[in-house]
Each structure stands twice: as structure tokens, then as C-alpha cells.
Amino acid sequence: MAKICLDPGHAGGNIDPGAVNGKMGLQEAIINLVIASQVKKHLVAAGYQVLMTRTKAEQVETDSLKYRCELANNWGADLVVSLHCNSAASEQANGTEIYTSLGETNGDRLATCIINQITASFSDLQLRADWDDGDPDKEQNFYILRYTDAPAVLLEMAFISNPEEAAKLADSAWQRDMARAVARGISDYFV
Ligand SMILES: [Zn+2]
């Protein structure tokens, strides 16, 4: 079975908590890890091999994107899926978005598979899409997308800076549904 590398964004704890919602006491790095761990369970149950680039709440070596990419590449990952929570200065900013590297790659197809599952599961989550090239992903030269050998996507699940979405990100039922949607999207890629 295929080898899936899951990349929970940020090193966690005091090293790099990622985006933080101070009012609600939420740290992005923790949510990324919780949901990635659930994605892993689904994929392992379906027979995939899964490697997580970070498994602890705080893990110093993961503060290097180079380390994360080398981990995925040396393992021979077939896909890389990086999970993040979005953040903006405005509390109004909301929705989900997914990034791929520049140009047309298999990452685009993976992104579409994941987005299709997310929009099917979350009718209330705005899709922040870029349809210019005919698919919903946005393209950016993010390090984790650029320096991984396998098709890769970076998913910004929702905005931790938005009070309503922060409450969802912290909600175990929402986390479960998001993990299931991401896992299904990954499986769809191989159909
Ligand atoms: Zn992040």
C-alpha cells in the first residue's frame, strides 16, 4: 500500500505554537497534531503506511522544514499532506483553503480529492478557492511543497483567528469529521 506522510504544522509548545487564539487559549500546533493523528488512524485502518513528521506536542527537531522534507523523502513517501490552521489580522476571515506547489503536478489532483471531501462534509465552511487554472487549489512556493519529492499539499483547515471557526477547530466532533474527510480525500487519490 502507498506510503502517506502526514505533516502536523509547527514544532509546538514554546518552540513554535503556530497561530494562537489567545482569548480561547488555542494553539494551532496542538490542533494540527490532534487531527493528523486521527487521519493516521483512518489511513492505517485502510491499509496505508503512515509516517508523521511530528508526534509530540513539542518536538524541537521538527522546527526545521528541511528536517521534515528529508524525513518524507528518505522514507520514500508517495504523498505528503501538511495540516495547518489559518490566521489573519481580521477576526472575520474564514474558510478553508489548500495549497500546492507552482505548476501542474499530481499535488493538484490530491488537493482536489481532499477539497471535494471537505466540501461534502462541511456545508458551512467557505471554500477559499483559486479557480484560475480550473482547480480549487492555490499555488505557493511553500518550503514543504517545494522540497518534498512526492506530490504534496498544505491544507489550512479553518481560521483559528475567527471566533466561530476557532470553536470548531477545538471541537472533538468537528476534528473527527475533518480527519475523516482528509483521510477519504487521500484514499480517493488512489482510486
Ligand atoms: Zn501553520
Side-chain angles (χ1 to χ4, degrees), residues 9-184:
H10 308 280
N14 292 318
I15 306 166
D16 174 15
V20 171
N21 185 317
K23 275 187 210 159
M24 300 182 67
L26 285 181
Q27 294 189 356
E28 179 197 348
I30 293 171
I31 295 166
N32 296 343
L33 180 61
V34 166
I35 295 179
S37 302
Q38 295 184 24
V39 175
K40 177 183 175 178
K41 276 188 199 153
H42 288 298
L43 292 175
V44 167
Y48 292 96
Q49 295 183 64
V50 178
L51 174 74
M52 305 236 310
T53 58
R54 176 168 65 90
T55 56
K56 303 191 185 96
E58 184 182 72
Q59 202 171 331
V60 64
E61 69 274 19
T62 69
D63 198 29
S64 157
L65 293 173
K66 185 166 180 276
Y67 165 85
R68 291 171 186 250
C69 291
E70 284 174 0
L71 205 61
N73 293 342
N74 292 339
W75 185 57
D78 293 306
L79 293 181
V80 176
V81 177
S82 186
L83 295 180
H84 287 256
C85 307
N86 225 330
S87 182
S90 164
E91 286 191 353
Q92 309 298 317
N94 68 93
T96 193
E97 59 191 13
I98 196 161
Y99 289 90
T100 62
S101 57
L102 304 188
E104 226 168 275
T105 69
N106 279 327
D108 297 15
R109 196 162 62 77
L110 173 62
T112 300
C113 290
I114 292 173
I115 283 299
N116 285 346
Q117 286 290 348
I118 289 176
T119 52
S121 299
F122 297 92
S123 54
D124 58 339
L125 196 56
Q126 188 212 163
L127 174 61
R128 301 163 63 93
D130 171 11
W131 292 103
D132 280 355
D133 58 352
D135 58 31
D137 61 77
K138 298 183 169 188
E139 297 189 346
Q140 279 288 341
N141 246 335
F142 291 142
Y143 194 100
I144 196 81
L145 302 176
R146 191 172 172 186
Y147 293 104
T148 41
D149 298 333
V153 299
L154 186 149
L155 175 66
E156 297 275 11
M157 298 179 282
F159 278 77
I160 199 170
S161 48
N162 176 301
E164 279 176 35
E165 292 200 347
K168 290 175 180 170
L169 285 162
D171 179 67
S172 58
W174 193 95
Q175 293 170 347
R176 184 196 60 214
D177 291 347
M178 177 56 73
R180 192 186 295 139
V182 172
R184 282 179 176 160

